[in-house]
Amino acid sequence: MAVALAVCAASAGSASHAAADDERTDASLLAAHRLIVPVEGVRRASLRNNFDESRDGAKHEAIDIPAPRGTPVVAAGDGRVVKLFTSKPGGLTVYQFDLEERFAYYYAHLDRYAPDLREGTLVRRGDTLGYVGTSGNAPPQSPHLHFAIFRLGADKHWWRGSPVNPYPYLNDAE
């Protein structure tokens, strides 16, 4: 019994070390991507870290970036648009993978897409993806971009991954 407990404790320790290693790797990779605030004209200093807040009884796992309706939403980093999607909670959304396909960037509550945006489009940091709105479950009087990052699993499903707080990795556009 003691041996089994020691093995379980060692496994749990290994799992927590692996998770910590993944977080350090994520942090290094995202810092290297030099992501920008994905709403044109919004400065880093005006962002609020609401990643851990609750929304309808669930953890938010994103940040909200308020801006006037119609403000351009831009690619936070280089990558490829993998899915344009409409959902009840997110409204008009864009899923973008980074170039290495390790992370997905999720842009939600758009008013409309950029005219030439298509699935498969390669985008550079700062390219326009769409425009701030209130689609989905966003309050009509509060236009904003709901922006999330998640680490992709081996299956590379655009709709699934491990959430990463985007707040520490967003910088002002140069």
Side-chain angles (χ1 to χ4, degrees):
M1 180 73 132
V3 172
L5 290 175
V7 169
C8 286
S11 295
S14 296
S16 68
H17 287 308
D21 288 345
D22 284 348
E23 286 180 24
R24 281 191 290 277
T25 300
D26 289 352
S28 295
L29 289 170
L30 286 169
H33 286 176
R34 298 179 43 241
L35 301 177
I36 60 172
V37 176
V39 178
E40 192 172 280
V42 173
R43 306 285 299 171
R44 167 106 171 75
S46 69
L47 298 180
R48 195 166 75 69
N49 186 2
N50 49 23
F51 181 83
D52 289 320
E53 292 179 3
S54 178
R55 297 286 196 278
D56 298 322
K59 192 173 170 185
H60 190 219
E61 297 180 338
I63 63 169
D64 289 335
I65 305 172
R69 183 182 309 280
T71 302
V73 170
V74 299
D78 297 342
R80 182 173 53 89
V81 174
V82 294
K83 190 69 176 174
L84 302 178
F85 191 70
T86 304
S87 71
K88 187 172 183 177
L92 288 179
T93 63
V94 173
Y95 289 84
Q96 174 199 341
F97 287 0
D98 70 322
L99 292 173
E100 297 83 22
E101 295 191 353
R102 293 196 50 139
F103 298 98
Y105 308 136
Y106 173 69
Y107 309 81
H109 303 311
L110 301 177
D111 189 54
R112 65 190 186 284
Y113 296 122
D116 56 346
L117 192 69
R118 305 282 181 271
E119 290 178 10
T121 301
L122 289 175
V123 294
R124 305 287 294 168
R125 180 177 60 173
D127 287 351
T128 301
L129 302 175
Y131 302 89
V132 171
T134 57
S135 62
N137 65 6
Q141 70 282 10
S142 300
H144 68 280
L145 175 69
H146 173 96
F147 180 70
I149 298 175
F150 51 91
R151 184 173 15 94
L152 293 165
D155 53 12
K156 308 288 187 216
H157 290 308
W158 54 267
W159 67 92
R160 183 171 51 204
S162 301
V164 176
N165 186 349
Y167 182 81
Y169 304 107
L170 297 178
N171 303 284
D172 290 329
E174 298 164 354

